[in-house]
Amino acid sequence: MPASALLTLMTTAARKAGRSLARDFGAVENLQVSVKGPGDFVSTADHKAEDIIFTELSKARPDYCFQMEERGVIEGADKSHRWIVDPLDGTTNFLHGIPLFCISIGLERDGEMVAGVIYNPIMDELFSAEKGRGAYLNDQRRLQVAARKDLSNAVITTGIPHRGRSGHERFLRETAAVMKQCSGIRRTGSAALDMAWLAAGRFDGYWKHGLSPWDLAAGLVLIREASGCVSDMDGGMNIIQSGSIIAGNPHVHNMLAGTLKSIET
Ligand code: IPD
Ligand code: CA
Ligand code: CA
């Protein structure tokens, strides 16, 4: 199925911003040795990528609203459409020269996520999905979540709350319970990539608290269009509002939800 004009626009914006991030990533690796460190440089790279995405999207759809991680909310005349953008997800990886980061662009229509693009410019992997039209890798391979039915064979990904964030104790309790039941736990350092890789069948399950709308928006469409199951921690659909997510195929999702529910918060 050919991509719609909207998805093509999102893809073009992501690839263009991705070229900028990839160039800056090459430079950041050389800055690792400097005493000052590359922190300011990375924040400039992040803003540059966001500027490119903003320019591309607003040129083509001047009335749409935006919610961007760096610029914040930008209101437009068309209140039913909103771009939700993380120009660099996996900032700590980027800063440390680890090539696991991406751009995430989601489109919300009348309160519902309808399209998403997640692009890792280093691996040149572009994950895209549109409601009712399937999820794809690089416009070629149709994506499907993994079919494994048992948690015992499943590789589960999550995120670890870092210094300054809440939820450290809860994370340890949850991880202790999940690791006893699954084949392995991974942590990529990019929530958007976790979701894209789950849609691609690389990960079987995902859980995480404390996420922002721009971490989640595009990935939700990808997982649903790859026949995955997503919910918040209570099994409801308030994923973006609560910032918490459980995902997997229906079997893994159920088992993961049951395990996490059994833990006192
Ligand atoms: C972060 C990453 C990380 C997740 C954090 C996010 P950023 O986004 O997605 O994996 O654990 O909760 O804030 O800061 O790299 O855009
Ligand atoms: Ca993020
Ligand atoms: Ca970010």
Side-chain angles (χ1 to χ4, degrees), residues 69 86 88-90 191 214-215:
E69 184 178 13
D86 191 340
L88 171 57
D89 186 59
W214 44 84
D215 298 317

Side-chain angles (χ1 to χ4, degrees), residues 71-232:
R71 288 176 182 229
V73 171
I74 299 160
E75 291 298 341
D78 180 347
K79 303 292 179 204
S80 58
H81 288 96
R82 184 164 68 126
W83 302 112
I84 306 180
V85 178
D86 191 340
L88 171 57
D89 186 59
T91 319
T92 307
N93 287 343
F94 190 98
L95 185 64
H96 285 257
I98 300 168
L100 280 177
F101 58 87
C102 63
I103 287 156
S104 174
I105 305 176
L107 177 64
E108 187 188 67
R109 179 178 297 135
D110 298 323
E112 187 191 9
M113 292 311 308
V114 292
V117 164
I118 292 175
Y119 181 47
N120 175 341
I122 305 303
M123 297 175 84
D124 191 25
E125 287 192 325
L126 189 134
F127 303 87
S128 62
E130 214 174 347
K131 190 181 172 216
R133 298 169 76 103
Y136 291 86
L137 171 54
N138 289 339
D139 295 325
Q140 284 160 357
R141 186 162 76 79
R142 179 110 194 221
L143 301 178
Q144 192 70 27
V145 292
R148 285 177 206 91
K149 288 192 170 149
D150 276 332
L151 214 45
S152 58
N153 296 320
V155 170
I156 307 295
T157 188
T158 185
I160 306 171
H162 53 72
R163 186 170 60 90
R165 292 271 180 107
S166 62
H168 290 201
E169 298 305 322
R170 176 174 60 186
F171 172 79
L172 291 172
R173 282 197 301 276
E174 290 178 346
T175 307
V178 174
M179 73 184 175
K180 288 191 189 103
Q181 299 192 43
C182 71
S183 167
I185 297 184
R186 300 289 180 269
R187 193 269 201 262
T188 65
S190 160
L193 276 186
D194 284 328
M195 296 172 80
W197 286 20
L198 185 123
R202 296 173 186 172
F203 293 136
D204 300 283
Y206 177 48
W207 96 94
K208 174 84 169 83
H209 302 271
L211 292 169
S212 300
W214 44 84
D215 298 317
L216 290 160
L220 291 179
V221 191
L222 273 157
I223 295 174
R224 288 185 182 129
E225 286 302 312
S227 307
C229 205
V230 260
S231 73
D232 58 28

